[in-house]
Amino acid sequence: MKYKSLALLEQLCIQTGEHMAFVESLKALPLADLNNRPHKNSWNILECIAHLNLYGNFYLSEISSRMAASQSNAASYFNRGLLGNYFAKSILPKDRPNKMKTFPEMDPIHKQLDKNVLDIFLRQQQNFLKLLEQAKSKDLSKIRTNISINKWIKIRLGDTFRFLVNHNLRHLEQIKTILSNYSTIDQTSQVLPTVDQR
């Protein structure tokens, strides 16, 4: 399947903005709620965000360096790759959640976390928006990035962008599920925007 490159990047920018608005709204919650664990071995809200930050630490640097090293020019269309498309689609939230094992280095469970985790996420997403803007002058099919789980595998830049946004969406939906079990959800429902699931 082909995507119009600029349309894809614009869609990802819109979704990222919505994700940022959602996380910004979480600052209104008490720290106790953000650290409340639904089940003994499940993540709380801050751990969900910290997990996303760990991925951001890897991918933002990887994307930046690969784009800087590329001499490619903008292409009108992006052709998704077989493996990259699989990663991007498999990480999407589903009606019946598909459990995925988290690698230990990406698992923040039982870390001492505070609201600074939310600020880190927002700063990372600001940087991500800048990378999406820079990518408008690049070929999303020709540039390839490493993935976090295997240094020998590379996927197309467009698929890397799609994976990151879908990964954020997955865990923000997880947070919404956690919030739905809180008594405070009635007080915060007006300030928590619905996460786009396109």
Side-chain angles (χ1 to χ4, degrees), residues 29-48:
L29 293 173
L31 186 59
D33 281 0
L34 295 172
N35 277 306
N36 190 24
R37 195 177 307 285
H39 307 288
K40 181 180 178 181
N41 294 315
S42 63
W43 289 342
N44 60 39
I45 292 173
L46 290 183
E47 287 166 346
C48 290

mmCIF file of all heavy atoms in Angstrom, residues 29-48:
data_model
loop_
_atom_site.group_PDB
_atom_site.id
_atom_site.type_symbol
_atom_site.label_atom_id
_atom_site.label_comp_id
_atom_site.label_asym_id
_atom_site.label_seq_id
_atom_site.Cartn_x
_atom_site.Cartn_y
_atom_site.Cartn_z
ATOM 1 N N LEU A 29 -4.237 15.345 37.652
ATOM 2 C CA LEU A 29 -4.546 14.251 38.577
ATOM 3 C C LEU A 29 -3.590 14.255 39.765
ATOM 4 O O LEU A 29 -2.419 14.604 39.627
ATOM 5 C CB LEU A 29 -4.451 12.908 37.858
ATOM 6 C CG LEU A 29 -5.485 12.632 36.771
ATOM 7 C CD1 LEU A 29 -5.148 11.342 36.051
ATOM 8 C CD2 LEU A 29 -6.879 12.568 37.357
ATOM 9 N N PRO A 30 -4.059 13.825 40.923
ATOM 10 C CA PRO A 30 -3.171 13.690 42.089
ATOM 11 C C PRO A 30 -2.089 12.649 41.813
ATOM 12 O O PRO A 30 -2.314 11.673 41.084
ATOM 13 C CB PRO A 30 -4.112 13.214 43.207
ATOM 14 C CG PRO A 30 -5.489 13.531 42.739
ATOM 15 C CD PRO A 30 -5.457 13.462 41.242
ATOM 16 N N LEU A 31 -0.917 12.854 42.401
ATOM 17 C CA LEU A 31 0.190 11.923 42.215
ATOM 18 C C LEU A 31 -0.206 10.513 42.663
ATOM 19 O O LEU A 31 0.219 9.525 42.055
ATOM 20 C CB LEU A 31 1.425 12.404 43.000
ATOM 21 C CG LEU A 31 2.716 11.602 42.788
ATOM 22 C CD1 LEU A 31 3.149 11.607 41.325
ATOM 23 C CD2 LEU A 31 3.831 12.174 43.672
ATOM 24 N N ALA A 32 -1.036 10.427 43.706
ATOM 25 C CA ALA A 32 -1.473 9.112 44.191
ATOM 26 C C ALA A 32 -2.232 8.351 43.110
ATOM 27 O O ALA A 32 -2.051 7.134 42.958
ATOM 28 C CB ALA A 32 -2.343 9.280 45.431
ATOM 29 N N ASP A 33 -3.067 9.054 42.345
ATOM 30 C CA ASP A 33 -3.794 8.395 41.252
ATOM 31 C C ASP A 33 -2.839 7.964 40.146
ATOM 32 O O ASP A 33 -2.992 6.886 39.560
ATOM 33 C CB ASP A 33 -4.854 9.334 40.680
ATOM 34 C CG ASP A 33 -6.099 9.395 41.543
ATOM 35 O OD1 ASP A 33 -6.131 8.707 42.592
ATOM 36 O OD2 ASP A 33 -7.034 10.127 41.182
ATOM 37 N N LEU A 34 -1.868 8.803 39.842
ATOM 38 C CA LEU A 34 -0.908 8.483 38.782
ATOM 39 C C LEU A 34 -0.049 7.278 39.146
ATOM 40 O O LEU A 34 0.458 6.570 38.264
ATOM 41 C CB LEU A 34 -0.010 9.689 38.499
ATOM 42 C CG LEU A 34 -0.711 10.929 37.935
ATOM 43 C CD1 LEU A 34 0.255 12.103 37.878
ATOM 44 C CD2 LEU A 34 -1.294 10.646 36.555
ATOM 45 N N ASN A 35 0.125 7.051 40.439
ATOM 46 C CA ASN A 35 0.933 5.922 40.906
ATOM 47 C C ASN A 35 0.092 4.720 41.339
ATOM 48 O O ASN A 35 0.636 3.713 41.765
ATOM 49 C CB ASN A 35 1.818 6.350 42.081
ATOM 50 C CG ASN A 35 3.099 7.022 41.619
ATOM 51 O OD1 ASN A 35 3.847 6.469 40.820
ATOM 52 N ND2 ASN A 35 3.347 8.227 42.108
ATOM 53 N N ASN A 36 -1.223 4.842 41.238
ATOM 54 C CA ASN A 36 -2.106 3.757 41.660
ATOM 55 C C ASN A 36 -1.997 2.584 40.683
ATOM 56 O O ASN A 36 -2.180 2.752 39.481
ATOM 57 C CB ASN A 36 -3.546 4.253 41.725
ATOM 58 C CG ASN A 36 -4.464 3.244 42.375
ATOM 59 O OD1 ASN A 36 -4.012 2.402 43.149
ATOM 60 N ND2 ASN A 36 -5.739 3.327 42.061
ATOM 61 N N ARG A 37 -1.726 1.404 41.207
ATOM 62 C CA ARG A 37 -1.532 0.215 40.370
ATOM 63 C C ARG A 37 -2.828 -0.593 40.334
ATOM 64 O O ARG A 37 -3.303 -1.070 41.367
ATOM 65 C CB ARG A 37 -0.392 -0.627 40.956
ATOM 66 C CG ARG A 37 0.143 -1.685 40.009
ATOM 67 C CD ARG A 37 1.324 -2.424 40.642
ATOM 68 N NE ARG A 37 2.343 -1.496 41.115
ATOM 69 C CZ ARG A 37 3.197 -0.841 40.330
ATOM 70 N NH1 ARG A 37 3.151 -1.033 39.019
ATOM 71 N NH2 ARG A 37 4.082 -0.024 40.842
ATOM 72 N N PRO A 38 -3.413 -0.785 39.147
ATOM 73 C CA PRO A 38 -4.680 -1.513 39.064
ATOM 74 C C PRO A 38 -4.591 -2.947 39.593
ATOM 75 O O PRO A 38 -5.498 -3.437 40.237
ATOM 76 C CB PRO A 38 -4.997 -1.511 37.563
ATOM 77 C CG PRO A 38 -4.201 -0.388 37.002
ATOM 78 C CD PRO A 38 -2.967 -0.297 37.840
ATOM 79 N N HIS A 39 -3.475 -3.608 39.293
ATOM 80 C CA HIS A 39 -3.248 -4.977 39.748
ATOM 81 C C HIS A 39 -1.794 -5.092 40.194
ATOM 82 O O HIS A 39 -0.954 -4.265 39.830
ATOM 83 C CB HIS A 39 -3.538 -5.984 38.630
ATOM 84 C CG HIS A 39 -4.893 -5.822 38.022
ATOM 85 N ND1 HIS A 39 -6.048 -6.164 38.669
ATOM 86 C CD2 HIS A 39 -5.273 -5.318 36.815
ATOM 87 C CE1 HIS A 39 -7.086 -5.897 37.900
ATOM 88 N NE2 HIS A 39 -6.641 -5.371 36.763
ATOM 89 N N LYS A 40 -1.492 -6.126 40.908
ATOM 90 C CA LYS A 40 -0.173 -6.277 41.523
ATOM 91 C C LYS A 40 0.968 -6.137 40.515
ATOM 92 O O LYS A 40 1.973 -5.480 40.788
ATOM 93 C CB LYS A 40 -0.083 -7.626 42.227
ATOM 94 C CG LYS A 40 1.247 -7.872 42.924
ATOM 95 C CD LYS A 40 1.262 -9.229 43.608
ATOM 96 C CE LYS A 40 2.623 -9.486 44.260
ATOM 97 N NZ LYS A 40 2.677 -10.819 44.906
ATOM 98 N N ASN A 41 0.827 -6.763 39.364
ATOM 99 C CA ASN A 41 1.928 -6.783 38.392
ATOM 100 C C ASN A 41 1.651 -5.932 37.151
ATOM 101 O O ASN A 41 2.317 -6.099 36.130
ATOM 102 C CB ASN A 41 2.226 -8.223 37.974
ATOM 103 C CG ASN A 41 2.765 -9.052 39.124
ATOM 104 O OD1 ASN A 41 3.639 -8.605 39.862
ATOM 105 N ND2 ASN A 41 2.231 -10.252 39.297
ATOM 106 N N SER A 42 0.665 -5.034 37.236
ATOM 107 C CA SER A 42 0.377 -4.174 36.087
ATOM 108 C C SER A 42 1.007 -2.803 36.291
ATOM 109 O O SER A 42 1.323 -2.407 37.410
ATOM 110 C CB SER A 42 -1.133 -4.040 35.895
ATOM 111 O OG SER A 42 -1.719 -3.402 37.009
ATOM 112 N N TRP A 43 1.169 -2.080 35.195
ATOM 113 C CA TRP A 43 1.738 -0.740 35.262
ATOM 114 C C TRP A 43 0.696 0.258 35.752
ATOM 115 O O TRP A 43 -0.495 0.125 35.485
ATOM 116 C CB TRP A 43 2.200 -0.280 33.887
ATOM 117 C CG TRP A 43 3.417 -0.982 33.367
ATOM 118 C CD1 TRP A 43 4.314 -1.699 34.101
ATOM 119 C CD2 TRP A 43 3.870 -1.022 32.011
ATOM 120 N NE1 TRP A 43 5.307 -2.178 33.280
ATOM 121 C CE2 TRP A 43 5.057 -1.781 31.999
ATOM 122 C CE3 TRP A 43 3.397 -0.491 30.827
ATOM 123 C CZ2 TRP A 43 5.777 -2.023 30.818
ATOM 124 C CZ3 TRP A 43 4.098 -0.734 29.661
ATOM 125 C CH2 TRP A 43 5.278 -1.488 29.662
ATOM 126 N N ASN A 44 1.187 1.271 36.456
ATOM 127 C CA ASN A 44 0.341 2.416 36.755
ATOM 128 C C ASN A 44 0.493 3.439 35.624
ATOM 129 O O ASN A 44 1.216 3.207 34.648
ATOM 130 C CB ASN A 44 0.666 3.002 38.132
ATOM 131 C CG ASN A 44 2.106 3.467 38.250
ATOM 132 O OD1 ASN A 44 2.673 4.024 37.306
ATOM 133 N ND2 ASN A 44 2.712 3.264 39.414
ATOM 134 N N ILE A 45 -0.172 4.587 35.764
ATOM 135 C CA ILE A 45 -0.158 5.583 34.689
ATOM 136 C C ILE A 45 1.245 6.104 34.409
ATOM 137 O O ILE A 45 1.675 6.185 33.247
ATOM 138 C CB ILE A 45 -1.109 6.750 35.036
ATOM 139 C CG1 ILE A 45 -2.556 6.260 35.008
ATOM 140 C CG2 ILE A 45 -0.920 7.927 34.070
ATOM 141 C CD1 ILE A 45 -3.561 7.280 35.494
ATOM 142 N N LEU A 46 1.980 6.436 35.451
ATOM 143 C CA LEU A 46 3.336 6.970 35.240
ATOM 144 C C LEU A 46 4.258 5.934 34.633
ATOM 145 O O LEU A 46 5.146 6.266 33.839
ATOM 146 C CB LEU A 46 3.907 7.488 36.561
ATOM 147 C CG LEU A 46 3.267 8.761 37.113
ATOM 148 C CD1 LEU A 46 3.971 9.202 38.396
ATOM 149 C CD2 LEU A 46 3.267 9.891 36.082
ATOM 150 N N GLU A 47 4.063 4.677 34.966
ATOM 151 C CA GLU A 47 4.902 3.629 34.372
ATOM 152 C C GLU A 47 4.586 3.451 32.887
ATOM 153 O O GLU A 47 5.500 3.190 32.089
ATOM 154 C CB GLU A 47 4.708 2.322 35.138
ATOM 155 C CG GLU A 47 5.376 2.347 36.509
ATOM 156 C CD GLU A 47 4.951 1.223 37.428
ATOM 157 O OE1 GLU A 47 3.938 0.540 37.131
ATOM 158 O OE2 GLU A 47 5.602 1.028 38.466
ATOM 159 N N CYS A 48 3.320 3.605 32.515
ATOM 160 C CA CYS A 48 2.973 3.569 31.090
ATOM 161 C C CYS A 48 3.710 4.666 30.323
ATOM 162 O O CYS A 48 4.271 4.427 29.241
ATOM 163 C CB CYS A 48 1.466 3.744 30.899
ATOM 164 S SG CYS A 48 0.454 2.348 31.428
#
